[in-house]
Amino acid sequence: MIQTYSFRDKYKSFILLVVPVLITQLGLYAMNFLDTVMSGRSGADQLAGVAIGSSLWVPIFTGLNGILMALTPIVSQLEGAKNTKGVPRSVMQAVYLSVVVSIIVLILGSLVLNPILGAMSLDQEVEKVARGYLIALACGILPLFLYGALRSFIDALGQTRITMFITLIGLPVNAVFNYLLIFGKAGFPELGGIGAGVASAITYWITALITVIIVIKFNPFRGYKLFRKFYTPSLKAWKEQLKIGVPIGLAIFFEVSIFAAVTLLMSDFNTVTIAAHQAALNFASFLYMLPLSISFALTIAVGFEVGAGRFKDAAQYSYIGIIAAVGFALILSVFLIAFDDQVARMYSNEPEVIKLTTSFLWYAVFFQLADAFGAPIQGALRGYKDVNVTFMLSFISYWVLGLPVGYYLANFTTLGAYGYWIGLISGLSAGAVFLFVRLKFIQSHSYSSSEQK
């Protein structure tokens, strides 16, 4: 990141920052995308099992990974203030914290997995696949969270092309092992949906190893001497990161978990409905990687400018991100409407699943537009380290408004499964409005504080 002096320069700088982040996010999500699509080719039971497993795991992972994302605004503001001496200690404390988080997840997961799956109304084969998928993923939790911490450090320095490079290596690895293990090719066992979990775990270990080598051996990371000097684990440093990271994680968890909750609630419907819902949600979430990438880039850019005390520049970056996200969302919505049938056929060959997936995709257009407005605002607020109000607004929008509306419409009207999608749209729209009001307040407060100084 460097200081810019005109709106045009900021736009160029932001594009250079966001494009590698977008490719990285698309690559990361493509792994889940491939899990879903390739499992679906093994049958509706395999697709539904992976859908249930993903719905349980993704909100937990994204929420806890949000704690590690706190490192991005911490390092961005240190760099903006030219206080680089504090960076290595902050990074290594985040690495220690990632190990602790991994151990806690493994312990709790071993205790609650069977009771949760047992409480759901699932076919025996679907339950078996979901359990096996999650157990396989558990083998890659430690490297996954380690990579999350180191990625936050790399991105905070504006070196988003490095994480793009790492992801582009991991994607074909995941695809190859998916092919070998799901379908039992080249002498490997045919594991179906469970094989997707094994492939993901292998990929997590490989990408984490590559990332560690890069931060140790290559510039500009080598100068920070990570893993070369021992830093005593510090509860004070963990508290600093948790103070920022926990609200970030909770905000992400509340948003992501509402999708998971809807999928789990839809277990009362038949397997075809579950499979179609997951297919439509999977593709819509793939498109969501664009506003999410803009959100991550805004955290870096806004954090850098706030650390340097340039609050007007920080606000300009915020609006560049919001406008870009909404504009691209409109274009992608037209694409989704025009090619809904082709998208549905990527996930299944079964006519019933294709027909129902197509109808769900039309609802996905509307909540994608709401996300395109809300996600960049969350990223900008993280750059200001304003996280507590954000997670409370997320909880109210998604769980107090969105989910109850969806449950009522799905169970007490003739809308059925479509009611949950309307609930999702309601929650996301309300959240976007609330977050924009908060952003305007923070910007005004920052201007006032800087003028008083």
Side-chain angles (χ1 to χ4, degrees), residues 1 17 65-83 86-87 90-91 94 148-158 240-249 252 295-309 377-388 390:
M1 288 296 298
L17 188 64
N65 195 53
I67 295 175
L68 305 176
M69 284 171 58
L71 186 63
T72 299
I74 290 173
V75 172
S76 291
Q77 291 200 14
L78 287 172
E79 288 287 320
K82 302 188 184 302
N83 181 18
V87 171
S90 295
V91 175
L150 294 178
R151 181 196 168 182
S152 295
F153 160 62
I154 294 171
D155 286 350
L157 298 182
E240 177 191 2
Q241 182 161 350
L242 290 171
K243 185 178 180 181
I244 301 172
V246 169
I248 291 176
I252 295 173
S295 174
F296 288 160
L298 281 178
T299 299
I300 300 167
V302 172
F304 179 78
E305 299 295 351
V306 169
I377 299 174
Q378 286 193 44
L381 288 170
R382 285 196 293 268
Y384 285 99
K385 291 186 179 180
D386 182 71
V387 290
N388 291 309
T390 301

Coordinates of all heavy atoms in Angstrom, one line a residue, residues 1 17 65-83 86-87 90-91 94 148-158 240-249 252 295-309 377-388 390:
M1 N 0.8 -1.2 0.0 CA 0.0 0.0 0.0 C 0.9 1.2 0.0 O 1.9 1.3 0.7 CB -0.9 0.0 1.2 CG -2.0 -1.0 1.2 SD -3.2 -0.7 -0.1 CE -3.8 0.9 0.3
L17 N -5.3 -4.0 -5.9 CA -5.5 -4.7 -4.6 C -6.5 -5.8 -4.7 O -6.4 -6.9 -4.2 CB -5.8 -3.7 -3.5 CG -5.7 -4.2 -2.1 CD1 -4.3 -4.6 -1.7 CD2 -6.2 -3.1 -1.1
N65 N -12.4 -18.1 11.7 CA -11.4 -17.5 10.9 C -11.5 -16.0 11.0 O -10.5 -15.3 10.8 CB -11.5 -18.0 9.4 CG -10.3 -17.7 8.6 OD1 -9.2 -18.0 9.0 ND2 -10.5 -17.0 7.5
G66 N -12.7 -15.5 11.3 CA -12.8 -14.0 11.5 C -12.0 -13.5 12.6 O -11.5 -12.4 12.6
I67 N -11.8 -14.4 13.6 CA -10.9 -14.0 14.7 C -9.5 -13.7 14.2 O -8.8 -12.8 14.6 CB -10.9 -15.1 15.8 CG1 -12.2 -15.2 16.4 CG2 -9.8 -14.8 16.9 CD1 -12.4 -16.4 17.4
L68 N -9.0 -14.6 13.3 CA -7.7 -14.4 12.7 C -7.6 -13.3 11.8 O -6.5 -12.7 11.5 CB -7.3 -15.7 12.1 CG -7.3 -17.0 12.9 CD1 -7.0 -18.2 12.1 CD2 -6.4 -16.8 14.1
M69 N -8.7 -12.9 11.2 CA -8.8 -11.8 10.2 C -8.5 -10.5 10.9 O -8.2 -9.5 10.3 CB -10.2 -11.7 9.5 CG -10.3 -12.8 8.4 SD -12.1 -12.8 7.9 CE -12.3 -11.1 7.3
A70 N -8.6 -10.5 12.3 CA -8.3 -9.2 13.0 C -6.9 -8.8 12.8 O -6.6 -7.6 12.9 CB -8.6 -9.5 14.5
L71 N -6.0 -9.7 12.4 CA -4.6 -9.4 12.1 C -4.5 -8.4 11.0 O -3.6 -7.6 10.9 CB -3.8 -10.7 11.8 CG -2.3 -10.5 11.7 CD1 -1.7 -10.0 13.0 CD2 -1.7 -11.8 11.3
T72 N -5.4 -8.5 10.0 CA -5.3 -7.6 8.8 C -5.4 -6.1 9.2 O -4.5 -5.3 8.9 CB -6.4 -7.9 7.8 OG1 -6.2 -9.3 7.4 CG2 -6.3 -7.0 6.6
P73 N -6.5 -5.6 9.9 CA -6.5 -4.2 10.3 C -5.4 -3.9 11.3 O -4.9 -2.7 11.3 CB -7.9 -4.0 10.9 CG -8.3 -5.4 11.3 CD -7.7 -6.3 10.3
I74 N -5.0 -4.8 12.1 CA -3.9 -4.5 13.1 C -2.6 -4.2 12.3 O -1.9 -3.2 12.6 CB -3.7 -5.7 14.1 CG1 -4.9 -5.8 15.0 CG2 -2.4 -5.6 14.8 CD1 -4.8 -7.1 15.9
V75 N -2.2 -5.1 11.4 CA -1.0 -4.9 10.6 C -1.1 -3.7 9.7 O -0.2 -3.0 9.5 CB -0.6 -6.2 9.9 CG1 0.6 -6.0 8.9 CG2 -0.3 -7.3 10.9
S76 N -2.3 -3.6 9.1 CA -2.5 -2.5 8.1 C -2.3 -1.1 8.8 O -1.6 -0.2 8.3 CB -3.9 -2.5 7.5 OG -4.0 -3.6 6.6
Q77 N -2.8 -1.0 10.0 CA -2.7 0.3 10.7 C -1.2 0.5 11.2 O -0.7 1.6 11.3 CB -3.7 0.3 11.9 CG -5.1 0.5 11.4 CD -6.1 1.0 12.5 OE1 -5.6 1.6 13.5 NE2 -7.4 0.9 12.2
L78 N -0.6 -0.6 11.6 CA 0.9 -0.5 12.0 C 1.7 -0.1 10.8 O 2.6 0.8 11.0 CB 1.4 -1.9 12.5 CG 0.9 -2.3 13.9 CD1 1.3 -3.8 14.2 CD2 1.4 -1.4 15.0
E79 N 1.4 -0.6 9.6 CA 2.2 -0.2 8.4 C 1.8 1.2 8.1 O 2.7 2.0 7.7 CB 1.8 -1.2 7.3 CG 2.4 -2.6 7.4 CD 3.9 -2.6 7.1 OE1 4.3 -1.9 6.2 OE2 4.5 -3.3 7.9
G80 N 0.6 1.6 8.2 CA 0.2 3.0 7.8 C 0.9 4.0 8.8 O 1.2 5.1 8.3
A81 N 1.0 3.6 10.0 CA 1.7 4.5 11.0 C 3.2 4.3 11.0 O 3.9 4.9 11.8 CB 1.2 4.2 12.4
K82 N 3.7 3.4 10.1 CA 5.2 3.2 9.9 C 5.8 2.6 11.2 O 6.9 2.8 11.6 CB 5.9 4.4 9.5 CG 5.4 5.0 8.2 CD 6.3 6.2 7.7 CE 5.7 6.8 6.5 NZ 5.5 5.9 5.4
N83 N 5.0 1.8 11.9 CA 5.4 1.1 13.1 C 5.7 -0.4 12.8 O 5.0 -1.3 13.3 CB 4.4 1.2 14.2 CG 4.9 0.6 15.5 OD1 6.0 0.2 15.7 ND2 3.9 0.3 16.4
G86 N 6.4 -3.6 15.4 CA 5.4 -4.4 16.1 C 4.7 -5.5 15.3 O 4.0 -6.3 15.9
V87 N 5.1 -5.5 14.0 CA 4.4 -6.5 13.1 C 4.7 -7.9 13.4 O 3.8 -8.8 13.6 CB 4.6 -6.2 11.6 CG1 4.1 -7.3 10.7 CG2 4.0 -4.8 11.3
S90 N 3.0 -9.4 16.5 CA 1.5 -9.5 16.3 C 1.2 -10.8 15.4 O 0.3 -11.5 15.7 CB 1.0 -8.3 15.6 OG 1.1 -7.1 16.5
V91 N 2.0 -11.0 14.4 CA 1.8 -12.1 13.5 C 2.0 -13.4 14.2 O 1.2 -14.4 14.1 CB 2.7 -12.1 12.3 CG1 2.6 -13.3 11.4 CG2 2.4 -10.8 11.5
A94 N -0.7 -14.3 16.5 CA -1.9 -14.8 15.7 C -1.7 -16.3 15.3 O -2.6 -17.1 15.3 CB -2.1 -14.0 14.5
G148 N -4.9 -19.3 7.5 CA -5.7 -18.1 7.7 C -5.0 -17.0 8.4 O -5.1 -15.8 8.0
A149 N -4.2 -17.3 9.4 CA -3.4 -16.3 10.1 C -2.3 -15.7 9.2 O -2.2 -14.4 9.1 CB -2.8 -16.9 11.4
L150 N -1.6 -16.5 8.5 CA -0.5 -16.0 7.7 C -1.1 -15.3 6.5 O -0.5 -14.3 6.0 CB 0.3 -17.2 7.2 CG 1.1 -17.9 8.3 CD1 1.9 -19.1 7.8 CD2 2.1 -16.9 9.0
R151 N -2.2 -15.7 6.0 CA -2.8 -15.0 4.8 C -3.2 -13.6 5.3 O -3.1 -12.6 4.5 CB -4.1 -15.7 4.3 CG -4.7 -15.0 3.2 CD -6.1 -15.5 2.9 NE -6.7 -14.6 1.9 CZ -8.0 -14.6 1.5 NH1 -8.7 -15.6 1.9 NH2 -8.5 -13.8 0.7
S152 N -3.7 -13.4 6.5 CA -4.1 -12.1 7.0 C -2.9 -11.2 7.0 O -3.0 -10.0 6.7 CB -4.7 -12.2 8.4 OG -6.0 -12.9 8.3
F153 N -1.8 -11.7 7.4 CA -0.5 -11.0 7.4 C -0.1 -10.6 6.0 O 0.3 -9.4 5.7 CB 0.6 -11.8 8.1 CG 2.0 -11.4 7.8 CD1 2.4 -10.1 8.2 CD2 2.9 -12.2 7.2 CE1 3.8 -9.7 7.9 CE2 4.2 -11.8 6.9 CZ 4.6 -10.6 7.2
I154 N -0.1 -11.5 5.1 CA 0.4 -11.3 3.7 C -0.5 -10.2 3.1 O 0.0 -9.3 2.4 CB 0.3 -12.6 2.9 CG1 1.4 -13.5 3.4 CG2 0.6 -12.3 1.4 CD1 1.3 -14.9 2.8
D155 N -1.8 -10.3 3.2 CA -2.8 -9.4 2.6 C -2.6 -8.0 3.2 O -2.8 -7.0 2.5 CB -4.2 -9.9 2.8 CG -4.5 -11.1 1.8 OD1 -3.7 -11.4 1.0 OD2 -5.6 -11.7 2.0
A156 N -2.4 -7.9 4.5 CA -2.3 -6.6 5.2 C -1.1 -5.8 4.6 O -1.2 -4.6 4.7 CB -2.1 -6.8 6.7
L157 N -0.1 -6.5 4.1 CA 1.0 -5.8 3.5 C 0.7 -5.3 2.1 O 1.5 -4.7 1.4 CB 2.3 -6.6 3.5 CG 2.8 -7.1 4.9 CD1 4.1 -7.9 4.7 CD2 3.0 -5.8 5.8
G158 N -0.5 -5.7 1.6 CA -0.9 -5.3 0.2 C -0.4 -6.4 -0.8 O -0.5 -6.1 -2.0
E240 N -5.9 -8.5 22.7 CA -6.0 -7.5 21.8 C -6.6 -8.0 20.5 O -7.5 -7.3 19.9 CB -4.6 -6.9 21.5 CG -4.6 -5.8 20.4 CD -3.3 -5.4 19.9 OE1 -2.3 -6.0 20.4 OE2 -3.2 -4.5 19.1
Q241 N -6.1 -9.1 20.0 CA -6.6 -9.7 18.8 C -8.1 -10.2 18.9 O -8.9 -10.0 18.0 CB -5.8 -10.8 18.3 CG -6.3 -11.4 16.9 CD -5.2 -12.2 16.2 OE1 -4.1 -12.2 16.6 NE2 -5.6 -12.9 15.2
L242 N -8.4 -10.8 20.1 CA -9.7 -11.3 20.3 C -10.7 -10.1 20.4 O -11.9 -10.3 20.0 CB -9.8 -12.1 21.6 CG -9.1 -13.5 21.5 CD1 -9.0 -14.1 22.8 CD2 -9.8 -14.4 20.5
K243 N -10.3 -9.0 21.0 CA -11.1 -7.8 21.1 C -11.7 -7.4 19.8 O -12.8 -6.9 19.6 CB -10.4 -6.7 21.8 CG -11.2 -5.5 22.1 CD -10.4 -4.4 22.9 CE -11.3 -3.2 23.2 NZ -10.5 -2.2 23.9
I244 N -10.8 -7.5 18.8 CA -11.2 -7.1 17.4 C -11.8 -8.3 16.7 O -12.8 -8.2 16.0 CB -10.0 -6.5 16.6 CG1 -9.4 -5.3 17.3 CG2 -10.4 -6.2 15.2 CD1 -8.1 -4.8 16.7
G245 N -11.1 -9.4 16.8 CA -11.5 -10.6 16.0 C -12.8 -11.3 16.4 O -13.5 -11.8 15.5
V246 N -13.1 -11.3 17.7 CA -14.3 -12.0 18.1 C -15.6 -11.3 17.5 O -16.4 -12.0 16.9 CB -14.4 -12.1 19.6 CG1 -15.8 -12.5 20.0 CG2 -13.4 -13.1 20.2
P247 N -15.7 -10.0 17.6 CA -16.8 -9.3 16.9 C -16.8 -9.6 15.4 O -17.9 -9.7 14.8 CB -16.7 -7.9 17.2 CG -15.9 -7.9 18.5 CD -14.9 -9.0 18.4
I248 N -15.7 -9.6 14.8 CA -15.6 -9.8 13.3 C -16.1 -11.2 13.1 O -16.9 -11.5 12.2 CB -14.1 -9.7 12.8 CG1 -13.7 -8.2 12.8 CG2 -14.1 -10.2 11.4 CD1 -12.3 -8.0 12.4
G249 N -15.6 -12.2 13.9 CA -16.0 -13.6 13.7 C -17.5 -13.8 13.9 O -18.2 -14.5 13.2
I252 N -19.5 -12.4 10.9 CA -19.5 -13.3 9.8 C -20.3 -14.5 10.1 O -21.0 -15.1 9.3 CB -18.0 -13.7 9.5 CG1 -17.2 -12.5 9.1 CG2 -18.0 -14.8 8.4 CD1 -15.8 -12.7 8.9
S295 N -14.7 -6.4 0.0 CA -14.8 -6.2 1.5 C -13.4 -6.4 2.1 O -12.9 -5.5 2.9 CB -15.8 -7.2 2.1 OG -15.7 -7.1 3.5
F296 N -12.7 -7.5 1.7 CA -11.3 -7.7 2.3 C -10.4 -6.6 1.8 O -9.5 -6.2 2.6 CB -10.8 -9.1 1.8 CG -11.5 -10.3 2.4 CD1 -11.5 -11.5 1.9 CD2 -12.2 -10.1 3.6 CE1 -12.1 -12.6 2.4 CE2 -12.9 -11.2 4.2 CZ -12.8 -12.4 3.6
A297 N -10.5 -6.2 0.6 CA -9.6 -5.2 0.0 C -9.8 -3.9 0.8 O -8.9 -3.1 1.0 CB -9.8 -5.0 -1.5
L298 N -11.1 -3.6 1.0 CA -11.4 -2.3 1.8 C -10.8 -2.3 3.2 O -10.4 -1.3 3.7 CB -12.9 -2.1 1.8 CG -13.6 -1.6 0.6 CD1 -15.1 -1.5 0.7 CD2 -13.0 -0.2 0.2
T299 N -10.8 -3.5 3.8 CA -10.2 -3.5 5.2 C -8.7 -3.1 5.1 O -8.3 -2.4 6.0 CB -10.3 -5.0 5.7 OG1 -11.7 -5.3 5.9 CG2 -9.7 -5.0 7.1
I300 N -8.0 -3.6 4.1 CA -6.6 -3.3 3.9 C -6.4 -1.8 3.6 O -5.7 -1.1 4.3 CB -6.0 -4.1 2.8 CG1 -6.1 -5.6 3.2 CG2 -4.5 -3.7 2.6 CD1 -5.8 -6.5 2.0
A301 N -7.2 -1.3 2.6 CA -7.0 0.1 2.2 C -7.4 1.1 3.2 O -6.7 2.1 3.5 CB -7.8 0.3 0.9
V302 N -8.6 0.9 3.8 CA -9.1 1.8 4.8 C -8.3 1.7 6.1 O -7.9 2.8 6.7 CB -10.6 1.4 5.2 CG1 -11.1 2.2 6.4 CG2 -11.5 1.7 4.0
G303 N -7.8 0.5 6.5 CA -7.0 0.4 7.6 C -5.6 1.2 7.4 O -5.1 1.8 8.4
F304 N -5.1 1.1 6.2 CA -3.8 1.8 5.9 C -4.0 3.3 6.1 O -3.2 4.0 6.7 CB -3.4 1.4 4.5 CG -2.1 2.1 4.1 CD1 -0.9 1.6 4.5 CD2 -2.1 3.1 3.2 CE1 0.3 2.2 4.1 CE2 -0.9 3.8 2.8 CZ 0.3 3.3 3.3
E305 N -5.1 3.8 5.5 CA -5.3 5.3 5.5 C -5.7 5.7 6.9 O -5.2 6.8 7.4 CB -6.4 5.6 4.5 CG -6.2 5.3 3.1 CD -5.0 6.1 2.5 OE1 -4.5 7.0 3.2 OE2 -4.6 5.7 1.4
V306 N -6.5 4.9 7.7 CA -6.8 5.3 9.0 C -5.5 5.3 9.9 O -5.3 6.2 10.7 CB -7.9 4.4 9.6 CG1 -8.0 4.6 11.1 CG2 -9.2 4.6 8.9
G307 N -4.7 4.3 9.7 CA -3.4 4.3 10.5 C -2.5 5.5 10.2 O -1.8 6.0 11.1
A308 N -2.6 6.0 9.0 CA -1.8 7.2 8.7 C -2.6 8.5 9.0 O -2.0 9.6 8.8 CB -1.5 7.2 7.2
G309 N -3.8 8.4 9.5 CA -4.6 9.6 9.9 C -5.2 10.3 8.7 O -5.7 11.5 8.8
I377 N -19.3 -2.6 3.0 CA -19.5 -1.7 4.2 C -18.8 -2.4 5.4 O -18.1 -1.8 6.2 CB -20.9 -1.4 4.5 CG1 -21.5 -0.6 3.3 CG2 -21.1 -0.5 5.7 CD1 -23.0 -0.3 3.4
Q378 N -19.1 -3.7 5.6 CA -18.5 -4.4 6.7 C -16.9 -4.4 6.6 O -16.3 -4.2 7.6 CB -18.9 -5.9 6.7 CG -20.3 -6.1 7.1 CD -20.6 -7.6 7.4 OE1 -19.8 -8.3 8.0 NE2 -21.8 -8.1 7.0
G379 N -16.4 -4.5 5.4 CA -15.0 -4.4 5.2 C -14.4 -3.1 5.6 O -13.3 -3.0 6.2
A380 N -15.1 -2.0 5.2 CA -14.7 -0.7 5.5 C -14.7 -0.5 7.0 O -13.7 0.1 7.6 CB -15.5 0.3 4.8
L381 N -15.7 -0.9 7.7 CA -15.8 -0.8 9.1 C -14.7 -1.5 9.8 O -14.2 -1.1 10.9 CB -17.2 -1.2 9.6 CG -18.4 -0.3 9.2 CD1 -19.7 -1.0 9.6 CD2 -18.3 1.0 10.0
R382 N -14.3 -2.7 9.3 CA -13.2 -3.4 9.9 C -11.9 -2.6 9.8 O -11.1 -2.7 10.7 CB -13.0 -4.8 9.2 CG -14.1 -5.8 9.6 CD -13.7 -7.2 9.3 NE -13.6 -7.4 7.8 CZ -14.6 -7.9 7.1 NH1 -15.8 -8.2 7.7 NH2 -14.5 -8.1 5.8
G383 N -11.8 -1.9 8.7 CA -10.6 -1.1 8.5 C -10.5 0.0 9.6 O -9.4 0.4 10.0
Y384 N -11.6 0.5 10.0 CA -11.7 1.5 11.1 C -11.6 0.8 12.5 O -11.6 1.5 13.5 CB -13.0 2.2 11.1 CG -13.2 3.3 10.0 CD1 -13.8 3.0 8.9 CD2 -12.6 4.5 10.2 CE1 -14.0 3.9 7.9 CE2 -12.7 5.5 9.2 CZ -13.4 5.2 8.0 OH -13.6 6.1 7.0
K385 N -11.5 -0.5 12.5 CA -11.5 -1.4 13.8 C -12.9 -1.2 14.5 O -12.9 -1.4 15.7 CB -10.4 -1.0 14.7 CG -9.0 -1.5 14.2 CD -7.9 -1.2 15.3 CE -6.6 -1.7 14.8 NZ -5.5 -1.4 15.8
D386 N -13.9 -0.8 13.8 CA -15.2 -0.7 14.3 C -16.0 -2.0 14.1 O -16.4 -2.3 13.0 CB -16.0 0.5 13.7 CG -17.4 0.6 14.3 OD1 -17.5 1.1 15.4 OD2 -18.4 0.3 13.6
V387 N -16.0 -2.8 15.1 CA -16.5 -4.2 15.0 C -17.6 -4.6 15.9 O -18.4 -5.5 15.6 CB -15.3 -5.2 15.1 CG1 -14.3 -5.1 13.9 CG2 -14.6 -5.0 16.4
N388 N -17.7 -4.0 17.1 CA -18.7 -4.4 18.0 C -20.1 -4.1 17.6 O -21.0 -5.0 17.7 CB -18.5 -3.7 19.4 CG -17.2 -4.2 20.0 OD1 -17.0 -5.4 20.2 ND2 -16.3 -3.3 20.4
T390 N -21.1 -3.7 14.6 CA -21.4 -4.4 13.4 C -21.9 -5.8 13.7 O -22.9 -6.3 13.0 CB -20.1 -4.6 12.5 OG1 -19.6 -3.3 12.2 CG2 -20.3 -5.3 11.3

